[in-house]
Amino acid sequence: MTVTAPLTRTPAPEKPAHRDGNVLRWLGAYGASMIGDNIYYVALSWAAVRSGSPSQAGLVMAVSAAPRALLMLGGGVIADRLGPRRIVMAADAVRSVSVLGVAGLFLATRPGLWPLTVLGLVFGIVDALFLPAVGALPARVTGRAQLARVQGLRGLAVRLANVVGAPLGGLGVALGGPAAAFGAAGLLFAISLPLLMSLRIRDLPDDGGRSGAPAGHGLADGLRHIRRHSVLAPLVVVIALSDLGFVGPLNVGLTLLADQRGWGASGMGSVLAGFGVGAGAASLLLAVRGRVPRAGLVLAVTMGGGAVAIGALAFVPRLAAAVAVALVIGLLAGLSGALCGALTQTHADPAHLGRVTAVTSLSSLGLVPLTMPLTGAAVGLWGTGPVFVASAAICALAGVYGLCRTPLRRAELPA
C-alpha cells in the first residue's frame, strides 16, 4: 500500500513593492499629500508676509510647532488604537476642507492674519495625528520583507514633493495669489482620499515575540515596547542624536555659511540641490535593492562618514566643492536615515508602530527645531567652523553609540 504525502500549499511569494498595486496606491496618496503640504507652506508664508509684519509672519509660520510637539505621542496612541488608515484619511480630509476654506476667504476678501493663525494651529494638531499614522500604515499594506523597499519609495516621494511642491506653490501664488495656491493644496489633499479608501489592509502580522510584552494600546505600553527592545531602544537614541547634530547646520547654519562665503541665495540653493540629489540616490538604492546587508553596521558607519562631511562643509571655500561635499552628505546621511526608518519598520511590532513612529518623529519634528535659534546664536558668537564641527561631533557620537550597541550593530533587514 502506497502512502501519499499530504499536499501542502506553498505561500505565494510577495510582490516587490514597486510592482504591487496596493503599495503604489499608498505611494500615490502619500505623494499627493506631501506635494500638497509643500504648496501649503509656500502659500502660508507668502500670505503671512503680505498680511503682516515680518515678526508676525514668523509667528504664523511657527504656531503649528507647539501643538505638533505636545500632541505627537498621543497621536501615536490614537493611530495604533483606531488604525492608521482611518487617521490618515481623517487628517487629509480636515486639511483639505480647512485649506479650501481659507482659499475661499482670500477669494472673497483680505482676511488678515487671523485665519492663517487658525490654519497653522489646525495643521499642527493634524500633523500630530498624521505623522505617526503615516509611519504605521506601510506595515498594513505590504509584507514585512518589502518594508525596507517601501521606505526607499517613501524617501523618493518626499524628495519629489520637495522638488515639485515649492515651485508649484510659487507658480500658484504668481498666477492667482494665495487663493490659487491654497486651492491647489486642498485639491491634492482631497486626491489622496480615494486612493486611501482603495487600499487592501492586511491583518496585523505577529511580531515573532520580539516585543517582549503583550501589545496594548496605551502610551506606556508603546514606551515599554521601545525600552525593552534590544534594537529599537538604541535606535531611538541614535535617531535623536543624529537629528540634533544634523538639523541646525543644514538649515540655519547653511544659510549663514552661504552669506559669509558670498555664494548668495542661488549658491545656497545649489548646495541644497546637491544634498537632495545624494539623499534621493540613497532612497533609490534602498527602493531598488530592497535590502542592505548588515544594515545596523552600515547605518553606524555611514552616520560617522556623514559627520565628517558635515564638519568639512564649513571649511570648503569654493561653491563647486561645497556642492560636491553636500552630495556626499546627502548620500551618507540619506542612506543612514533610510536605514533608520527601515529598521524601525521591520523591527517594531506593527501593533506598536504608531507609537514608535511618534517617538522617533518627536525628536526631529518637535524638539530639534527648537535648537535652530541656538545654532544661529552660536554661529554669531564663534563662527560657522566651530559650530559645524560641534554638530558633526554629535552626529559622530550617534554613529559610535550605534557601533557600541551590539544588537543594533548586528541588526539585519528581512531577506
Side-chain angles (χ1 to χ4, degrees):
M1 177 177 176
T2 303
V3 178
T4 304
L7 294 176
T8 58
R9 179 174 294 179
T10 302
E14 294 177 358
K15 287 184 179 179
H18 60 284
R19 297 178 183 175
D20 187 341
N22 205 42
V23 172
L24 293 179
R25 288 192 295 274
W26 166 82
L27 188 65
Y30 181 72
S33 185
M34 290 299 98
I35 294 173
D37 219 30
N38 278 268
I39 295 174
Y40 154 77
Y41 278 110
V42 171
L44 183 69
S45 60
W46 180 263
V49 167
R50 295 300 297 270
S51 301
S53 66
S55 60
Q56 289 173 325
L59 180 62
V60 169
M61 295 301 296
V63 76
S64 63
R68 184 170 55 209
L70 292 173
L71 302 176
M72 182 82 74
L73 295 179
V77 173
I78 294 172
D80 286 335
R81 182 169 295 174
L82 300 182
R85 177 172 65 169
R86 187 179 302 175
I87 300 303
V88 172
M89 289 179 62
D92 273 348
V94 170
R95 294 202 288 185
S96 179
V97 170
S98 59
V99 170
L100 290 175
V102 171
L105 281 177
F106 273 90
L107 276 177
T109 183
R110 297 184 58 138
L113 288 173
W114 71 266
L116 301 177
T117 305
V118 172
L119 185 63
L121 286 171
V122 168
F123 263 67
I125 295 170
V126 169
D127 279 349
L129 300 172
F130 176 83
L131 293 170
V134 161
L137 192 53
R140 314 290 183 103
V141 300
T142 190
R144 182 170 176 268
Q146 295 300 316
L147 286 174
R149 182 171 274 124
V150 167
Q151 189 67 25
L153 293 172
R154 181 180 176 184
L156 287 174
V158 170
R159 300 301 163 193
L160 178 64
N162 292 339
V163 170
V164 172
L168 284 179
L171 181 63
V173 170
L175 295 178
F182 280 130
L187 290 176
L188 282 165
F189 292 138
I191 287 173
S192 72
L193 299 177
L195 291 171
L196 291 168
M197 290 178 64
S198 68
L199 293 180
R200 300 187 308 274
I201 299 298
R202 294 174 173 235
D203 294 331
L204 283 179
D206 180 41
D207 73 337
R210 297 187 309 277
S211 64
H217 290 303
L219 177 58
D221 296 299
L223 297 177
R224 192 179 304 116
H225 172 63
I226 295 172
R227 180 170 54 84
R228 293 179 176 178
H229 200 291
S230 60
V231 173
L232 290 179
L235 185 60
V236 167
V237 176
V238 166
I239 292 172
L241 286 173
S242 62
D243 286 338
L244 183 63
F246 183 78
V247 172
L250 264 294
N251 287 274
V252 178
L254 180 58
T255 303
L256 297 174
L257 180 65
D259 182 62
Q260 290 179 6
R261 294 285 192 272
W263 297 338
S266 62
M268 185 183 70
S270 298
V271 175
L272 288 174
F275 168 77
V277 169
S283 295
L284 181 61
L285 172 67
L286 192 57
V288 171
R289 289 184 58 87
R291 185 175 185 270
V292 174
R294 306 188 73 178
L297 178 61
V298 174
L299 162 65
V301 171
T302 54
M303 198 165 282
V308 173
I310 290 173
L313 185 61
F315 301 96
V316 175
R318 297 185 179 277
L319 177 59
V323 173
V325 172
L327 181 67
V328 174
I329 295 173
L331 184 62
L332 295 176
L335 183 57
S336 62
L339 288 175
C340 283
L343 288 170
T344 301
Q345 287 283 323
T346 54
H347 282 76
D349 171 14
H352 292 95
L353 197 48
R355 284 160 287 180
V356 174
T357 303
V359 171
T360 57
S361 299
L362 181 63
S363 63
S364 60
L365 298 174
L367 302 179
V368 171
L370 300 178
T371 66
M372 290 186 186
L374 297 178
T375 301
V379 170
L381 288 173
W382 298 298
T384 53
V387 172
F388 271 70
V389 169
S391 298
I394 296 173
C395 290
L397 179 62
V400 171
Y401 181 79
L403 286 174
C404 292
R405 297 302 298 268
T406 302
L408 178 57
R409 187 180 70 249
R410 295 179 177 175
E412 294 280 5
L413 297 174

